[in-house]
Amino acid sequence: MDLNTVTEVRLARTRSDLSALGPTVAVLAGGSALYGEPQHHLTAVVDLTTLGWPALTVTEAGLEIAATCTLADLSRFPAQPGWEAHHALFDCCTALYGSFKVWNVATVGGNLCAALPAGPMTSLTAALDGEALIWRADGSDERMPVTSFITGNKTTVLNPGDVLRSITLPIDAVRSRVAFRKIALSPLGRSGAVLLGRLSPEGTFVLTVTGGTVRPIQLRYDARPTAATLRADVLAITEWFTDAHGAADWRRGVSALLAEEILEELA
Ligand SMILES: Cc1cc2nc3c(=O)[nH]c(=O)nc-3n(C[C@H](O)[C@H](O)[C@H](O)COP(=O)(O)OP(=O)(O)OC[C@H]3O[C@@H](n4cnc5c(N)ncnc54)[C@H](O)[C@@H]3O)c2cc1C
């Protein structure tokens, strides 16, 4: 939709151009969420995509995903030797039921910053122990786990003027075996629950529950838990929510079921 109060679109070329950001000047990435609802408080936007950040960078430490990397770029990222979790990149992109038009503009950073519970990039980066790099408005840098970056339904740790720069997926996580499950009330509906399980080569098991909870919840085990333990732990989560895409009790129930399937798949 048109944002009638926005009279200026600034193209960022360097970090200093981000100093224009504030309570009435927002970051523009793909715009697929920003232009989706009225933003009466905004007078201008600053386009991050003109900063020219490389979308995906492989390092010895893992995979650095620029906040401006699109879902289309991520979905096409080629397999790397030993990266057992590679398929999860594409799997999670499919949990955003936008057409190719949305995939081509929607960014990983925009998805995290929009912080919808059904944010599939939240699911992916939380499940793979992603670390968010934040450029604070005061010029400082801060790193934190994605699980801390998202604080609730549409809320994050960002303050006006802050920018999410990148998310790094550590090498140990991308080398782990991963299983993915997603469920929605209708075949092309927004996700009601998205769960990923991860089994490291050392045998540690991590289940990440998203979609049905207001923020990503992780359950960590030194070794594969029993199905009964995992089920009980999922059912003990308290942060389920209800909206048009599913009731809290349904989300809780299907998440327990999907968690068991994941455990079985990673056996
Ligand atoms: C048809 C359709 C289907 C969709 N389905 C889903 C879905 O299933 N799940 C879902 O989660 N979303 C969905 N969306 C919403 C949206 O497409 C995604 O959340 C998308 O990933 C947002 O990315 P973007 O780059 O377009 O963000 P923008 O729209 O550009 O920005 C989103 C918000 O984040 C802020 N922002 C963006 N990048 C940064 C950054 N690097 N640092 C600080 N702030 C930033 C913006 O100021 C804005 O407030 C859908 C949208 C459409 C149109």
Side-chain angles (χ1 to χ4, degrees), residues 26-35 39 48 53 67-68 71 95-99 102 105-121 158 162-165 189-191:
V27 167
L28 168 65
S32 60
L34 191 67
Y35 284 90
Q39 311 283 354
L48 282 195
W53 295 333
T68 47
L71 267 69
L96 190 145
Y97 271 123
S99 66
V102 178
V105 295
T107 64
V108 175
N111 194 248
L112 266 74
C113 295
L116 294 171
M121 298 299 102
L158 294 182
D162 294 342
V163 169
L164 175 62
R165 167 63 184 87
R190 183 176 284 181
S191 306

Side-chain angles (χ1 to χ4, degrees), residues 160-192:
D162 294 342
V163 169
L164 175 62
R165 167 63 184 87
S166 63
I167 304 96
T168 300
L169 307 181
I171 194 77
D172 288 350
V174 294
R175 285 193 177 140
S176 300
R177 287 177 58 215
V178 167
F180 166 87
R181 291 289 186 283
K182 178 230 142 135
I183 193 165
L185 284 176
S186 62
L188 294 180
R190 183 176 284 181
S191 306

Side-chain angles (χ1 to χ4, degrees), residues 30-50:
S32 60
L34 191 67
Y35 284 90
E37 52 188 46
Q39 311 283 354
H40 296 310
H41 63 293
L42 293 183
T43 57
V45 291
V46 177
D47 189 340
L48 282 195
T49 60
T50 44

Side-chain angles (χ1 to χ4, degrees), residues 33-124:
L34 191 67
Y35 284 90
E37 52 188 46
Q39 311 283 354
H40 296 310
H41 63 293
L42 293 183
T43 57
V45 291
V46 177
D47 189 340
L48 282 195
T49 60
T50 44
L51 284 160
W53 295 333
L56 293 154
T57 310
V58 178
T59 69
E60 282 182 7
L63 178 64
E64 185 185 311
I65 306 172
T68 47
C69 173
T70 63
L71 267 69
D73 282 338
L74 188 71
S75 69
R76 290 193 289 256
F77 178 67
Q80 307 289 311
W83 288 29
E84 300 272 346
H86 173 260
H87 65 91
L89 307 184
F90 183 82
D91 292 342
C92 287
C93 290
T94 66
L96 190 145
Y97 271 123
S99 66
F100 69 94
K101 287 186 276 186
V102 178
W103 274 34
N104 277 327
V105 295
T107 64
V108 175
N111 194 248
L112 266 74
C113 295
L116 294 171
M121 298 299 102
T122 299
S123 312
L124 173 74

